[in-house]
Amino acid sequence: MAESGAKSSAEEPWPVRVVSQKVGAWIARLGWVWVDGQVAQISRRPGASTVFLTLRDPSADLSLTVTTNRDVLDAGAPELREGARVVMHAKPEFYAARGTLSLRADEIRQVGLGELLARLEKLKKLLAAEGLFDRNRKRRPPFLPGRVGLITGRASAAERDVLTNARRRWPAVDFRTVNVAVQGPGAVPQIVDALRVLDADPGVEVIVLARGGGSIEDLLPFSDEALCRAVFACRTPVVSAIGHETDAPLVDYVADVRASTPTDAAKRIVPDLTEEVRLIGQARSRLERAVGNLLDRERHRVESLRSRPVLARPQVMVDQRVTEVTALRQRADRCLDHRLAAAGDDLRHTVARLRGLSPAATLDRGYAIVQRGDGHVVRAASEVGPGDQLRVRLAEGELAATVDD
């Protein structure tokens, strides 16, 4: 039981005031810091020596309340207005009663144009070194996008220029427009959110960032690091149309296509229907001429082939071949007759020689062939004896004889 009671005592929750006090004590140890931000709101109360500011981070949806003395503000930034960029020396303070964090500034300096340009140049070199400006990664927008995402100010001249000129060029173009703040402390978060929304839409094939002209301070959100990285991370091609032709915010270098004006952006995202019809007409004319020339060449070629004697009078070739075949047949007949005649003469001579050597021819001359009974031809008288039966063959017929002695 004692152990259980000790454990329960160790886990006893702290009162809110204790937590607030500890948080305030920890924040108090931070000391004085330099803070950079954009003024979202200024509250000057008549007759009060304290001025309240709302300082916003241009790259994030985050703001802090700043309190300062009117003399401090008049000394460092007497013409300070909402939307201006400032650097202040301040100390974080935690108000325990309300649980809120604020800054107490003893020095405020409005960032001048030269300092802004120096910071932008430094950021430009950093982004270039990381490859965000690399031309090899830039993508070509589609020739005729199915849907165009447009990020611009509400009812702005830039929105009107893009929509009017794009629809004048291609009446069927489809837009998905997201209206955002294009200057001031809330511009960057809204533009980044709009980029994410349009980039996630599978129907959007190209995104246009459009804004009219303005001062460097007005165009400052389009040189914000967070916005540049958001454009770089987009999977959809992005067209930047910020300000006039001479304006060059950093997002122009990151975007896949840089348009000099919103009107120029409209020309880059969709083709001109009239021009395309004209080009199609020219292409059809060239195709018809090419096909016509090809047919003419082939027609001349066929006529040239048909004009040749072999095709103009094909029977001539047959007649020539008939003559040649007839001559060859006659020659063959003569050769065959000659060979048959020579062969006949050779056969007659051979037959005459055979007949001259034949025993029958000898018999015709009066000779006879004497054979014994066993068929043996008798060539000498000593080959027979008395009483032997002989057979005598004559030219015509044969005789039987007996040897007497």
Side-chain angles (χ1 to χ4, degrees), residues 386-402:
D388 290 339
Q389 296 293 325
L390 300 176
R391 179 185 174 192
V392 180
R393 292 183 60 184
L394 304 174
E396 295 182 1
E398 59 181 29
L399 300 174
T402 301

PDB file of all heavy atoms in Angstrom, residues 386-402:
ATOM      1  N   PRO A 386      35.879 -94.908-138.369  1.00  0.00           N
ATOM      2  CA  PRO A 386      34.898 -95.654-139.174  1.00  0.00           C
ATOM      3  C   PRO A 386      33.624 -95.879-138.352  1.00  0.00           C
ATOM      4  O   PRO A 386      33.670 -96.150-137.145  1.00  0.00           O
ATOM      5  CB  PRO A 386      35.602 -96.961-139.481  1.00  0.00           C
ATOM      6  CG  PRO A 386      37.072 -96.658-139.366  1.00  0.00           C
ATOM      7  CD  PRO A 386      37.181 -95.668-138.318  1.00  0.00           C
ATOM      8  N   GLY A 387      32.529 -95.691-139.006  1.00  0.00           N
ATOM      9  CA  GLY A 387      31.225 -95.921-138.375  1.00  0.00           C
ATOM     10  C   GLY A 387      30.669 -94.714-137.646  1.00  0.00           C
ATOM     11  O   GLY A 387      29.553 -94.781-137.127  1.00  0.00           O
ATOM     12  N   ASP A 388      31.469 -93.647-137.541  1.00  0.00           N
ATOM     13  CA  ASP A 388      30.930 -92.455-136.839  1.00  0.00           C
ATOM     14  C   ASP A 388      29.844 -91.796-137.700  1.00  0.00           C
ATOM     15  O   ASP A 388      29.978 -91.717-138.937  1.00  0.00           O
ATOM     16  CB  ASP A 388      32.028 -91.433-136.576  1.00  0.00           C
ATOM     17  CG  ASP A 388      33.025 -91.927-135.518  1.00  0.00           C
ATOM     18  OD1 ASP A 388      32.635 -92.820-134.742  1.00  0.00           O
ATOM     19  OD2 ASP A 388      34.131 -91.331-135.440  1.00  0.00           O
ATOM     20  N   GLN A 389      28.819 -91.383-137.002  1.00  0.00           N
ATOM     21  CA  GLN A 389      27.729 -90.675-137.666  1.00  0.00           C
ATOM     22  C   GLN A 389      28.089 -89.182-137.738  1.00  0.00           C
ATOM     23  O   GLN A 389      28.469 -88.562-136.743  1.00  0.00           O
ATOM     24  CB  GLN A 389      26.416 -90.834-136.891  1.00  0.00           C
ATOM     25  CG  GLN A 389      25.943 -92.276-136.836  1.00  0.00           C
ATOM     26  CD  GLN A 389      25.528 -92.782-138.207  1.00  0.00           C
ATOM     27  OE1 GLN A 389      24.980 -92.050-139.045  1.00  0.00           O
ATOM     28  NE2 GLN A 389      25.814 -94.077-138.488  1.00  0.00           N
ATOM     29  N   LEU A 390      27.929 -88.648-138.930  1.00  0.00           N
ATOM     30  CA  LEU A 390      28.260 -87.244-139.146  1.00  0.00           C
ATOM     31  C   LEU A 390      27.023 -86.471-139.610  1.00  0.00           C
ATOM     32  O   LEU A 390      26.121 -87.051-140.204  1.00  0.00           O
ATOM     33  CB  LEU A 390      29.387 -87.090-140.180  1.00  0.00           C
ATOM     34  CG  LEU A 390      30.732 -87.758-139.824  1.00  0.00           C
ATOM     35  CD1 LEU A 390      31.703 -87.609-140.993  1.00  0.00           C
ATOM     36  CD2 LEU A 390      31.299 -87.156-138.555  1.00  0.00           C
ATOM     37  N   ARG A 391      27.098 -85.156-139.385  1.00  0.00           N
ATOM     38  CA  ARG A 391      26.018 -84.252-139.813  1.00  0.00           C
ATOM     39  C   ARG A 391      26.648 -83.182-140.678  1.00  0.00           C
ATOM     40  O   ARG A 391      27.517 -82.456-140.221  1.00  0.00           O
ATOM     41  CB  ARG A 391      25.336 -83.608-138.603  1.00  0.00           C
ATOM     42  CG  ARG A 391      24.234 -82.647-138.974  1.00  0.00           C
ATOM     43  CD  ARG A 391      23.749 -81.990-137.689  1.00  0.00           C
ATOM     44  NE  ARG A 391      22.779 -80.939-137.973  1.00  0.00           N
ATOM     45  CZ  ARG A 391      22.353 -80.058-137.086  1.00  0.00           C
ATOM     46  NH1 ARG A 391      22.851 -80.111-135.842  1.00  0.00           N
ATOM     47  NH2 ARG A 391      21.477 -79.156-137.436  1.00  0.00           N
ATOM     48  N   VAL A 392      26.165 -83.076-141.924  1.00  0.00           N
ATOM     49  CA  VAL A 392      26.744 -82.152-142.882  1.00  0.00           C
ATOM     50  C   VAL A 392      25.736 -81.025-143.138  1.00  0.00           C
ATOM     51  O   VAL A 392      24.628 -81.278-143.607  1.00  0.00           O
ATOM     52  CB  VAL A 392      27.111 -82.847-144.212  1.00  0.00           C
ATOM     53  CG1 VAL A 392      27.719 -81.854-145.175  1.00  0.00           C
ATOM     54  CG2 VAL A 392      28.061 -84.015-143.951  1.00  0.00           C
ATOM     55  N   ARG A 393      26.123 -79.771-142.761  1.00  0.00           N
ATOM     56  CA  ARG A 393      25.249 -78.595-142.958  1.00  0.00           C
ATOM     57  C   ARG A 393      25.659 -77.909-144.246  1.00  0.00           C
ATOM     58  O   ARG A 393      26.827 -77.604-144.447  1.00  0.00           O
ATOM     59  CB  ARG A 393      25.365 -77.617-141.790  1.00  0.00           C
ATOM     60  CG  ARG A 393      24.792 -78.187-140.504  1.00  0.00           C
ATOM     61  CD  ARG A 393      24.886 -77.138-139.421  1.00  0.00           C
ATOM     62  NE  ARG A 393      24.110 -75.940-139.806  1.00  0.00           N
ATOM     63  CZ  ARG A 393      24.085 -74.837-139.085  1.00  0.00           C
ATOM     64  NH1 ARG A 393      24.830 -74.755-137.959  1.00  0.00           N
ATOM     65  NH2 ARG A 393      23.362 -73.802-139.491  1.00  0.00           N
ATOM     66  N   LEU A 394      24.658 -77.682-145.123  1.00  0.00           N
ATOM     67  CA  LEU A 394      24.868 -77.034-146.397  1.00  0.00           C
ATOM     68  C   LEU A 394      24.227 -75.653-146.359  1.00  0.00           C
ATOM     69  O   LEU A 394      23.570 -75.273-145.384  1.00  0.00           O
ATOM     70  CB  LEU A 394      24.254 -77.877-147.524  1.00  0.00           C
ATOM     71  CG  LEU A 394      24.777 -79.336-147.603  1.00  0.00           C
ATOM     72  CD1 LEU A 394      24.001 -80.114-148.665  1.00  0.00           C
ATOM     73  CD2 LEU A 394      26.266 -79.335-147.898  1.00  0.00           C
ATOM     74  N   ALA A 395      24.357 -74.864-147.456  1.00  0.00           N
ATOM     75  CA  ALA A 395      23.728 -73.537-147.510  1.00  0.00           C
ATOM     76  C   ALA A 395      22.229 -73.672-147.395  1.00  0.00           C
ATOM     77  O   ALA A 395      21.561 -72.843-146.794  1.00  0.00           O
ATOM     78  CB  ALA A 395      24.108 -72.819-148.790  1.00  0.00           C
ATOM     79  N   GLU A 396      21.722 -74.761-147.960  1.00  0.00           N
ATOM     80  CA  GLU A 396      20.298 -75.003-147.894  1.00  0.00           C
ATOM     81  C   GLU A 396      20.105 -76.457-147.449  1.00  0.00           C
ATOM     82  O   GLU A 396      20.355 -77.382-148.211  1.00  0.00           O
ATOM     83  CB  GLU A 396      19.625 -74.766-149.246  1.00  0.00           C
ATOM     84  CG  GLU A 396      19.695 -73.314-149.724  1.00  0.00           C
ATOM     85  CD  GLU A 396      18.987 -73.113-151.041  1.00  0.00           C
ATOM     86  OE1 GLU A 396      18.440 -74.098-151.560  1.00  0.00           O
ATOM     87  OE2 GLU A 396      18.975 -71.957-151.541  1.00  0.00           O
ATOM     88  N   GLY A 397      19.750 -76.625-146.186  1.00  0.00           N
ATOM     89  CA  GLY A 397      19.482 -77.935-145.644  1.00  0.00           C
ATOM     90  C   GLY A 397      20.732 -78.592-145.089  1.00  0.00           C
ATOM     91  O   GLY A 397      21.807 -77.982-144.990  1.00  0.00           O
ATOM     92  N   GLU A 398      20.613 -79.898-144.685  1.00  0.00           N
ATOM     93  CA  GLU A 398      21.734 -80.637-144.129  1.00  0.00           C
ATOM     94  C   GLU A 398      21.583 -82.114-144.528  1.00  0.00           C
ATOM     95  O   GLU A 398      20.510 -82.567-144.924  1.00  0.00           O
ATOM     96  CB  GLU A 398      21.758 -80.490-142.603  1.00  0.00           C
ATOM     97  CG  GLU A 398      20.492 -80.996-141.909  1.00  0.00           C
ATOM     98  CD  GLU A 398      20.552 -80.801-140.430  1.00  0.00           C
ATOM     99  OE1 GLU A 398      21.250 -79.817-139.948  1.00  0.00           O
ATOM    100  OE2 GLU A 398      19.920 -81.577-139.710  1.00  0.00           O
ATOM    101  N   LEU A 399      22.757 -82.926-144.395  1.00  0.00           N
ATOM    102  CA  LEU A 399      22.794 -84.320-144.760  1.00  0.00           C
ATOM    103  C   LEU A 399      23.353 -85.121-143.622  1.00  0.00           C
ATOM    104  O   LEU A 399      24.148 -84.627-142.817  1.00  0.00           O
ATOM    105  CB  LEU A 399      23.676 -84.523-146.015  1.00  0.00           C
ATOM    106  CG  LEU A 399      23.225 -83.779-147.282  1.00  0.00           C
ATOM    107  CD1 LEU A 399      24.325 -84.001-148.381  1.00  0.00           C
ATOM    108  CD2 LEU A 399      21.911 -84.357-147.778  1.00  0.00           C
ATOM    109  N   ALA A 400      22.975 -86.424-143.571  1.00  0.00           N
ATOM    110  CA  ALA A 400      23.526 -87.343-142.574  1.00  0.00           C
ATOM    111  C   ALA A 400      24.460 -88.302-143.315  1.00  0.00           C
ATOM    112  O   ALA A 400      24.168 -88.788-144.396  1.00  0.00           O
ATOM    113  CB  ALA A 400      22.393 -88.140-141.895  1.00  0.00           C
ATOM    114  N   ALA A 401      25.599 -88.555-142.691  1.00  0.00           N
ATOM    115  CA  ALA A 401      26.616 -89.419-143.351  1.00  0.00           C
ATOM    116  C   ALA A 401      27.252 -90.311-142.322  1.00  0.00           C
ATOM    117  O   ALA A 401      27.217 -90.020-141.124  1.00  0.00           O
ATOM    118  CB  ALA A 401      27.656 -88.576-144.047  1.00  0.00           C
ATOM    119  N   THR A 402      27.864 -91.437-142.834  1.00  0.00           N
ATOM    120  CA  THR A 402      28.552 -92.397-141.969  1.00  0.00           C
ATOM    121  C   THR A 402      29.960 -92.577-142.521  1.00  0.00           C
ATOM    122  O   THR A 402      30.149 -92.741-143.732  1.00  0.00           O
ATOM    123  CB  THR A 402      27.833 -93.728-141.962  1.00  0.00           C
ATOM    124  OG1 THR A 402      26.473 -93.517-141.495  1.00  0.00           O
ATOM    125  CG2 THR A 402      28.510 -94.717-140.998  1.00  0.00           C
TER     126      THR A 402
END
